[in-house]
Amino acid sequence: MATRISVSVKGLTGLDDPDRMLAELESETGLSWRPEPVDEGRVLSGGIVEIILVAVAVKGAEMTLEATVAAVKRVVERWRRERLEPPEATVDTEPVPDPPPTPDTQRGD
């Protein structure tokens, strides 16, 4: 079973804040993160917005799930501390089905 890790940020953000957090999360966890659409949308000019960033940790990943979640929480807290008015941020996890296996491209002769 894989685990979906999501970071939700609600509040005042700067123009490059979402991309900066995304880069920091990828650097700290080694996972591929992506923004997820939300009803309010992502406001590119900054302002009050909700942003959700998502990654999936699979079994056998380089970092354990617990270590990955701890790293995510460190990034989020460091990111919040750097702001005069830190936006609300939450880190959630939920189990998801394992991704389907990729077809083996090598043939045994």
Side-chain angles (χ1 to χ4, degrees):
M1 178 76 54
T3 301
R4 179 179 187 259
I5 304 170
S6 62
V7 174
S8 175
V9 178
K10 294 180 186 180
L12 189 61
T13 61
L15 180 61
D16 64 342
D17 284 344
D19 292 331
R20 184 166 163 233
M21 180 182 272
L22 189 68
E24 288 182 35
L25 287 168
E26 288 179 345
S27 174
E28 286 289 323
T29 65
L31 296 174
S32 177
W33 288 80
R34 64 176 172 75
E36 186 170 279
V38 293
D39 291 340
E40 292 82 10
R42 182 173 166 190
V43 179
L44 294 178
S45 62
I48 296 176
V49 66
E50 179 177 11
I51 302 160
I52 298 180
L53 304 174
V54 177
V56 175
V58 295
K59 289 185 296 187
E62 201 167 301
M63 294 177 79
T64 67
L65 177 60
E66 294 81 14
T68 301
V69 172
V72 169
K73 288 180 179 181
R74 282 192 306 273
V75 168
V76 170
E77 284 309 309
R78 180 176 60 233
W79 186 84
R80 289 186 75 242
R81 279 193 310 268
E82 295 172 354
R83 270 117 199 103
L84 293 175
E85 295 180 36
E88 177 185 330
T90 58
V91 176
D92 293 309
T93 61
E94 66 180 291
V96 295
D98 286 332
T102 56
D104 188 14
T105 56
Q106 296 181 359
R107 302 175 103 177
D109 289 66

